[in-house]
Amino acid sequence: MPHLFEPFNQRGVTSRNRIAVSPMCQYSSQDGFANDWHLVHLVSRAVGGAGILIAEAAAVEPEGRITPQDLGIWQDAQIEMLARIVELIHGNGAIVGTQLAHAGRKASTTPPWEGGNVIPESQGGWAVVAPSAIPFKPDRPDPIALSTEAIQKLTQSFVDAAKRSLTAGFDLIEIHAAHGYLLHEFLSPLSNHRNDEYGGSFENRIRFLCEVVQAVRNVLPDRTPLWVRISATDWVPNGWDIEQSVELCSKLSSLGVDLIDCSSGAIVPGEQIPTGAGYQTPFADRIRREANIATGAVGMITSPAQADHIIRTGQADIVLLAREMLRDPYWAMRAAKQLHQSVPSPVQYRRAWS
């Protein structure tokens, strides 16, 4: 089996190792534009030796932002700074992807450190949309149930965002269908009570995601990998679960998806989640084996030995680190030293790793 520091190849893209920086919202944009904060945040992890970086969720429409401070990719003017960041990441030996997202009924809120509360339209917020008029929390206003025409328009927004991502130079595209945001809301029977072709049966609930995947894949070059992040389970009875995830991922593989980024939860508040070291890795393992598709494991992966074990035992093809990368941008260099492997480092830093 490969190990953590073996290259990872997909289509025309090769990563120097199997360590990925998980997409992490920074809530630091103005009008959706990336800035120097995003440059330092991302490029420092490339300098630190990670092989793959996934930039934070980029809203495909202004109304798709979780907060007014979210990153966006809904207009051409947003490309320039993203392209600069991508160029610097490439110059430091890593590959980089963008995550295309729409927050659905969880949009129009304040950043987490300000409470994550709903921003009313009278204070600069906006009306939110969802598959059904069911709010995320009882004290929130009802979202607007999307019409068929609006769903088709949103599909085009994902396509346009993918085209902008290519112009910016991103190596891969990830579609965000997890964590209770719009595409996940269509998947889960807890949030999707529609009685048309986008609701009810499993085939109908996955339809919107499949249409987005097909439309995006059609505009990507063959050499560009396409990933999808899912919540493998809602952790709630009668919700989305791992069995449905396996079936979905088999379908996504046939549509040209190259890797499933396996997270979980966040469709409703108050789930009882049995968190612990690597608690989501079994989802990546099962989907990899049963759906026959590459997977990424994410969630409380902290130590080099743990990450290497996941790869060596075939539980996933890559590991994605989030909080641990916030704690230590140079985690990959430290891991290489502990595992007696090598990772390219800038000449300016080599005296720290000799």
Side-chain angles (χ1 to χ4, degrees):
M1 298 298 295
H3 57 74
L4 189 62
F5 284 91
E6 281 199 14
F8 180 59
N9 306 298
Q10 279 196 326
R11 295 185 181 262
V13 176
T14 301
S15 167
R16 61 190 174 191
N17 57 49
R18 292 163 184 260
I19 302 166
V21 178
S22 189
M24 292 177 280
C25 288
Q26 299 296 291
Y27 307 108
S28 299
S29 296
Q30 184 173 359
D31 298 324
F33 284 83
N35 54 46
D36 287 347
W37 176 266
H38 301 92
L39 186 153
V40 172
H41 167 67
L42 290 168
V43 176
S44 63
R45 274 93 191 150
V47 171
I52 307 167
L53 293 92
I54 308 297
E56 68 192 83
V60 300
E61 292 188 348
E63 297 78 14
R65 291 174 291 173
I66 307 165
T67 77
Q69 294 78 30
D70 279 23
L71 190 65
I73 196 163
W74 67 78
Q75 58 176 315
D76 290 349
Q78 291 161 337
I79 295 172
E80 183 178 2
M81 185 60 172
L82 292 171
R84 182 183 175 211
I85 293 170
V86 168
E87 182 180 14
L88 287 169
I89 290 171
H90 286 161
N92 283 282
I95 65 171
V96 57
T98 184
Q99 187 187 65
L100 306 183
H102 192 295
R105 67 181 186 172
K106 297 176 80 171
S108 189
T109 65
T110 60
W113 51 79
E114 295 178 10
N117 301 310
V118 170
I119 304 172
E121 293 184 61
S122 61
Q123 298 178 23
W126 55 90
V128 301
V129 299
S132 304
I134 306 169
F136 176 62
K137 294 180 179 179
D139 59 351
R140 294 190 178 187
D142 289 349
I144 299 168
L146 287 163
S147 66
T148 301
E149 293 75 20
I151 291 171
Q152 293 168 351
K153 179 178 179 294
L154 274 166
T155 299
Q156 186 60 46
S157 293
F158 275 93
V159 170
D160 294 341
K163 291 178 179 178
R164 293 186 188 100
S165 301
L166 294 174
T167 301
F170 284 101
D171 301 292
L172 65 91
I173 305 294
E174 178 170 276
I175 294 171
H176 197 352
H179 300 164
Y181 301 126
L182 185 64
L183 291 169
H184 182 192
E185 291 165 18
F186 273 83
L187 297 177
S188 177
L190 300 176
S191 49
N192 184 347
H193 291 187
R194 299 174 73 97
N195 56 13
D196 64 0
E197 66 268 35
Y198 290 99
S201 68
F202 170 82
E203 290 75 14
N204 285 352
R205 285 183 283 112
I206 71 170
R207 189 181 306 278
F208 184 25
L209 173 56
C210 290
E211 289 178 349
V212 169
V213 164
Q214 284 183 292
V216 169
R217 181 74 264 176
N218 285 342
V219 301
L220 297 184
D222 287 343
R223 67 179 182 276
T224 302
L226 178 60
W227 296 5
V228 175
R229 170 166 274 193
I230 67 166
S231 283
T233 179
D234 289 341
W235 298 109
V236 177
N238 302 314
W240 183 261
D241 56 30
I242 182 59
E243 287 74 22
Q244 293 174 87
S245 289
V246 169
E247 189 172 352
L248 168 67
C249 294
S250 180
K251 173 70 172 177
L252 294 179
S253 177
S254 72
L255 297 177
V257 171
D258 299 290
L259 182 140
I260 304 298
D261 180 353
C262 300
S263 191
S264 69
I267 192 67
V268 293
E271 318 107 308
Q272 298 299 308
I273 301 177
T275 57
Y279 72 104
Q280 294 176 150
T281 300
F283 301 135
D285 184 15
R286 181 168 173 184
I287 289 170
R288 187 177 189 270
R289 288 184 289 105
E290 296 185 18
N292 194 30
I293 189 170
T295 60
V298 65
M300 293 194 176
I301 298 170
T302 58
S303 77
Q306 176 194 15
D308 190 48
H309 177 77
I310 290 169
I311 302 301
R312 286 185 183 272
T313 55
Q315 296 177 74
D317 297 273
I318 64 167
V319 292
L320 297 106
L321 285 77
R323 288 175 177 84
E324 197 64 18
M325 283 290 181
L326 294 181
R327 300 180 187 108
D328 181 4
Y330 307 101
W331 186 93
M333 288 187 185
R334 179 163 55 84
K337 190 170 182 65
Q338 289 186 19
L339 298 172
H340 307 290
Q341 300 291 332
S342 62
V343 63
S345 60
V347 293
Q348 299 92 330
Y349 284 18
R350 286 180 186 168
R351 58 188 167 184
W353 305 102
S354 59

